[in-house]
Amino acid sequence: MLAGVALGATWSALASAQAGESGATPQRFERAEVHMGTPFRLVFYADTETLANKAATAAFSRVAELNGSLSDYLPESELSRLGAASPTSEPLAVGDDLWRVLRHAQRLARATDGAFDVTVGPYSRLWRRARRRRAVPESELLEQAAAAVGYEKLRLHECRQSVSLLAERMRLDLGGIAKGYAADEALAVLRKHGITAALVDAGGDVVAGAPPPGRATWHVAIAEVVEADEEQATPTPQLLLEDAAVATSGDLYQYLEVDGRRYSHIIDPRTGLGLPGPSSVTVIAPDGITADSLASAVSVLGAERGLELVRQTPRAACRFVWIDEEDRTQARATDNFAQYLQQTTTTIAK
């Protein structure tokens, strides 16, 4: 049995309201809106409320623009229209944002031999329906979907910034990378407005800029899976971040259990099956797109191969936590993860 904590990174700037309360500038501001199906939260310091409102509005507008391009839920998004055109008779030009995300995704797909693969969309659709019906997808449907999945079926043409989809009924799913990219872009908008001390929380994908005034870092709390005996007083990891990002991938609540077998919402693109769980993977990286996509990839690769992948990524760190068959918490981490870590003890509410 697992403790009732929500997976994903959450933010906290300890004592961060002091500047605003004293009347000194810059002041602390917080704004939140729902985008990409999740709360996007901005915490930042600005000289005036007028500037804060203008910057936040621009940042949220940028995220909404990205959703219109990268969503696989919106039938008129650029991503959805691209998938609907498969197989493409000739390469199709794509916009700058979709191009950047697909190029990053394909590099990671090659590095992981397909453990990270944005062509997983046909599987994603089957498992979304499976969770609603509480039934595992039929093997025949998984076999049919497999014909449209595989990163080698997605080709990028650098010279023309265009894309070819080589199989019928391909659908792309950027769920393991788009939020991190959107958080990066939201922070970039704040910086364009002269706001550098800022943090963006995209539903658990956190991108931190310069720390609050008078502070060395942002304090970002992460929730991890724990065994039942640890529920009452569990050390909550506090990460100390400056100009860095963190993403947590896991399946504490988003899973399907059928006939005693557990299937995560995280799909292995190589098999079409939800991962067995439970587990949580926390990745720290220089930017959100890297942290988000690596967290997804490591979840699929497992602790040994996943941590090795992170070690090969500049300025990245990772911790992999899982519950073993005897309901015990196990954890492994890269050596450099500890340098970001500050432990505090808190009580977890059931």
Side-chain angles (χ1 to χ4, degrees):
M1 184 104 182
L2 299 178
V5 295
L7 282 175
T10 59
W11 55 266
S12 63
L14 301 184
S16 60
Q18 291 178 353
E21 292 172 352
S22 66
T25 56
Q27 303 173 57
R28 180 185 186 275
F29 295 91
E30 179 182 338
R31 299 289 186 269
E33 292 185 5
V34 175
H35 292 278
M36 295 184 167
T38 194
F40 268 72
R41 196 179 302 267
L42 313 177
V43 184
F44 58 94
Y45 291 76
D47 292 338
T48 67
E49 187 167 2
T50 299
L51 173 60
N53 291 338
K54 182 179 180 181
T57 297
F60 287 133
S61 294
R62 177 65 174 134
V63 175
E65 176 188 22
L66 290 172
N67 192 47
S69 174
L70 307 179
S71 172
D72 70 318
Y73 285 92
L74 299 177
E76 294 304 315
S77 73
E78 185 179 14
L79 185 76
S80 295
R81 288 186 280 109
L82 178 63
S86 64
T88 55
S89 57
E90 59 184 23
L92 298 179
V94 297
D96 291 343
D97 294 310
L98 182 54
W99 176 256
R100 293 187 191 110
V101 173
L102 290 180
R103 186 168 57 180
H104 186 104
Q106 285 297 88
R107 285 198 296 263
L108 187 56
R110 290 189 292 269
T112 61
D113 295 323
F116 183 86
D117 187 349
V118 296
T119 72
V120 74
Y123 289 144
S124 300
R125 293 187 172 196
L126 290 177
W127 282 97
R128 288 170 189 167
R129 186 176 67 175
R131 286 192 293 275
R132 291 194 300 268
R133 298 171 57 190
R134 303 199 61 78
V136 176
E138 296 87 346
S139 57
E140 295 82 0
L141 294 178
L142 289 171
E143 290 176 6
Q144 292 173 14
V149 176
Y151 71 93
E152 70 282 353
K153 299 180 177 73
L154 169 64
R155 291 187 183 174
L156 306 185
H157 307 277
E158 295 278 350
C159 60
R160 291 177 286 177
Q161 193 171 302
S162 58
V163 176
S164 294
L165 301 179
L166 304 183
E168 294 183 357
R169 295 185 294 276
M170 290 184 68
R171 295 295 184 270
L172 307 184
D173 181 351
L174 303 180
I177 190 171
K179 282 197 306 176
Y181 179 70
D184 287 335
E185 291 297 295
L187 182 62
V189 169
L190 296 179
R191 285 171 169 164
K192 287 179 181 178
H193 284 77
I195 296 172
T196 57
L199 178 145
V200 179
D201 178 1
D205 292 320
V206 175
V207 179
R215 298 282 169 180
T217 61
W218 290 93
H219 293 233
V220 179
I222 58 172
E224 299 176 321
V225 296
V226 295
E227 59 187 285
D229 291 343
E230 298 176 353
E231 292 183 13
Q232 296 302 315
T234 301
T236 300
Q238 294 273 347
L239 301 179
L240 309 181
L241 298 182
E242 175 187 6
D243 292 321
V246 60
T248 298
S249 177
D251 62 347
L252 182 57
Y253 289 128
Q254 297 191 65
Y255 66 91
L256 171 67
E257 189 167 336
V258 178
D259 296 331
R261 184 171 181 181
R262 180 184 175 115
Y263 301 89
S264 170
H265 74 290
I266 304 171
I267 300 167
D268 186 337
R270 302 165 301 182
T271 66
L273 298 178
L275 299 178
S279 67
S280 60
V281 173
T282 299
V283 173
I284 301 167
D287 50 47
I289 191 172
T290 301
D292 191 10
S293 56
L294 273 180
S296 301
V298 172
S299 294
V300 175
L301 287 172
E304 183 174 353
R305 290 191 60 197
L307 294 183
E308 182 57 34
L309 173 67
V310 174
R311 292 186 187 101
Q312 296 171 6
T313 304
R315 295 176 54 205
C318 178
R319 179 154 74 181
F320 195 124
V321 182
W322 71 98
I323 307 298
D324 65 19
E325 295 180 353
E326 298 181 5
D327 203 28
R328 297 176 303 184
T329 303
Q330 304 289 342
R332 291 184 60 185
T334 56
D335 292 340
N336 61 342
F337 191 87
Q339 74 187 49
Y340 298 97
L341 194 60
Q342 175 183 356
Q343 290 280 1
T344 59
T345 302
T346 188
T347 299
I348 298 176
K350 292 185 179 179

